[in-house]
Amino acid sequence: MTSSDDRHGPRPEHGPRTRLVLGGRRPDEHYGFVNTPVFHGSTVLYPTAGDYLGRRSRYKYARRGTPTSEALESALAAIEGDACAGVALLPSGLAAISAALLAVLKAGDHLLVSDSAYDPTRTVCDTILTRWGIETTYYDPAIGAGIADLMRPDTRAVFVESPGSLSFEIQDIPAIAAAAHARDAVVLMDNTWATPLFFRALDHGVDLSIQSGTKYIGGHSDIMFGCVAANARTNKALRDTVFNMGLCVGPDDMNLAQRGLRTLAVRLAAHQEAALTVARWLEGRPEVLRVLHPALPSHPGHALWRRDFTGSSGLFSVVFRPVPPAAVEAFLDALTLFGIGASWGGYESLAIPFDCTPIRTATAWAPGGPTVRFHIGLEDPADLIADLDRGFAAMKIAAGA
Ligand SMILES: *Cc1c(COP(=O)(O)O)cnc(C)c1O
C-alpha cells in the first residue's frame, strides 16, 4: 500500500490525533501539496507492451487502487491500531457489512448476530445469506461469555454491534471474542458509533471492524461511504471479496471521507461533550423515564463501557414516560434545531421516533414508553436544550395534560 519514503506518515509513538493529521499524506509525491490530489481515472497507461504484459506499473487499473484510494486506506489504517493489516473502502456502510460477511462465510456456515444489530444488517442475513445457505441465529446482546452455548460446530462467525443500534446495549466484546476464537470463528463488529478513536475494536479481539463512513468519518451529511478494517487473519479474504465483487468508491466521495477524517477527533470530542450535556439534562426531565446513553452511570452497560471504550459519541436514545403517539409527534414537530431524518454523524442535530418491537427476535423490547433517538450535532448545547424545552411544551399540550 504505502511505498518507499514514508517520512511524512505517522510513527509508532504518535497519538490518534497526530495520526489523523498525518495518515495517508504523501506531499513528496505530489509536488509538496499538503493533500493527495483527487485522481479521476479508470485506465492506467503502461509505457510499453512489455510493461503491460509484465504488469510493471505501480497502478494497474483504478478499480485496483489509485493514489486517492491508497491515501484514504492508509489514513484509516493509521487509527485502527497495530493489529490492522488492511482497510477496504466500500460505497456505503451497508456494503461494508455485506462484503465483510461474504468475505468470511460460505454455504453451510452458521452465523451468530446480536439482536441489537442495525436492522438492515439483519435483512442481509435473512435474505442474501439465507438464499446462499448460511443460517443466522440472533442472540441477546447481553450474552457475554454465554455465547459459547450458542456456538455450533458449523458456527464460523459472530457479529457484534456495541452499543446496539437504537437501543444502546453495550456488549462484552472481549468475552464474546474469546468464546468465538476458542471455536475458530471470526468476530465482525459494526463499530460506527464509537469509531476506532473511542473503541479499538481490533485490539479487543474483533477480526473485521466495520464503519459506516457516512456517519462520523464523512461528518457533513454529504456522502455515502463505508470501510472495513481487517487483521492478519481476515485481510486477504476481505480484499479478495471486495475486489472480486467489483466494489469501489468514487474519487470525490473518497476525497470527502479523507477530508472528514482530518477533523474526526475534534468533531467527536465536541459531539461527546454536547451529547452528555443534553443527555444529563434530559435525564432530569419529568417527561423522561430513561436515557439510553452508555456514558451515563444509570446505563446498565456503563461499567462495560468504562472498561472498554475511551469516549462516547453524539448518538443516544430516550424513553419517554407513556404519552399518546400524537404527543411524541408534537414534540418532534415542535423542534426547530433537530431535523427529522435517518442517518447521523453529521454536524447537525437529528431526532427520530423508533420502535424495536418488530425488529427483535431473540429478546423482547419493552422499554416502558415511547422512544426517540437523538443525534447531537455541533450547535450550542444551550440552544439545543431550549429547543427540546419547546418540544416538551408541545408534548404537554398534545397529551392534554
Ligand atoms: C447508518 C448505519 C449503517 C449503514 O450505513 P450506510 O452508510 O447508511 O449504508 C450501518 N451501521 C450502523 C450502526 C449505522 O448507523
Side-chain angles (χ1 to χ4, degrees), residues 92-94 97 118 161 165 190 192 212 214-215 224-225 344:
S92 72
L94 188 58
I97 291 165
Y118 179 62
E161 184 176 334
S165 265
D190 186 330
T192 303
S212 165
T214 307
K215 312 294 166 52
M224 302 298 299
F225 173 64
W344 49 278

Side-chain angles (χ1 to χ4, degrees), residues 19-279:
R19 291 171 171 275
L20 284 171
V21 168
L22 298 181
R25 276 174 45 196
R26 300 307 301 266
D28 50 312
E29 293 187 357
H30 304 298
Y31 306 99
F33 282 94
V34 168
N35 294 299
T36 302
V38 187
F39 282 80
H40 287 90
S42 52
T43 298
V44 176
L45 300 177
Y46 296 68
T48 67
D51 290 324
Y52 181 78
L53 289 168
R55 294 288 186 272
R56 282 190 295 273
S57 172
R58 174 156 169 203
Y59 298 100
K60 296 172 174 64
Y61 184 47
R63 176 151 45 70
R64 279 194 179 274
T66 67
T68 307
S69 70
E70 287 187 355
L72 181 54
E73 284 170 9
S74 73
L76 288 163
I79 54 166
E80 291 280 357
D82 293 341
C84 182
V87 173
L89 312 179
L90 285 307
S92 72
L94 188 58
I97 291 165
S98 306
L101 286 166
L102 293 173
V104 295
L105 293 166
K106 62 179 185 321
D109 286 351
H110 176 236
L111 163 71
L112 289 164
V113 175
S114 173
D115 210 25
S116 61
Y118 179 62
D119 193 24
T121 300
R122 301 177 67 116
T123 307
V124 172
C125 299
D126 298 343
T127 58
I128 301 175
L129 296 191
T130 302
R131 217 163 57 233
W132 291 357
I134 298 156
E135 186 191 339
T136 300
T137 300
Y138 294 96
Y139 65 87
D140 183 341
I143 199 163
I147 194 95
D149 299 337
L150 299 182
M151 304 281 304
R152 311 190 319 208
D154 57 349
T155 306
R156 303 309 311 144
V158 179
F159 191 99
V160 297
E161 184 176 334
S162 183
S165 265
L166 301 168
S167 49
F168 295 90
E169 297 92 338
I170 295 290
Q171 296 196 255
D172 190 341
I173 309 288
I176 291 173
H181 292 159
R183 304 290 289 271
D184 216 28
V186 301
V187 179
L188 303 94
M189 177 174 188
D190 186 330
N191 195 28
T192 303
W193 183 84
T195 83
L197 292 187
F198 288 162
F199 183 74
R200 292 275 284 265
L202 300 178
D203 290 351
H204 284 86
V206 171
D207 299 293
L208 285 167
S209 178
I210 304 158
Q211 288 178 81
S212 165
T214 307
K215 312 294 166 52
Y216 285 125
I217 293 173
H220 294 74
S221 304
D222 53 4
I223 52 165
M224 302 298 299
F225 173 64
C227 56
V228 186
N231 60 16
R233 180 179 179 190
T234 54
N235 190 41
K236 185 180 184 327
L238 175 72
R239 282 203 94 72
D240 289 352
T241 301
V242 170
F243 179 70
N244 289 326
M245 291 181 76
L247 295 166
C248 48
V249 185
D252 291 317
D253 286 347
M254 288 193 280
N255 188 52
L256 287 171
Q258 178 76 84
R259 184 184 173 118
L261 199 57
R262 300 288 177 215
T263 58
L264 180 63
V266 284
R267 284 185 291 105
L268 269 184
H271 286 294
Q272 163 166 253
E273 196 185 318
L276 278 168
T277 301
V278 174

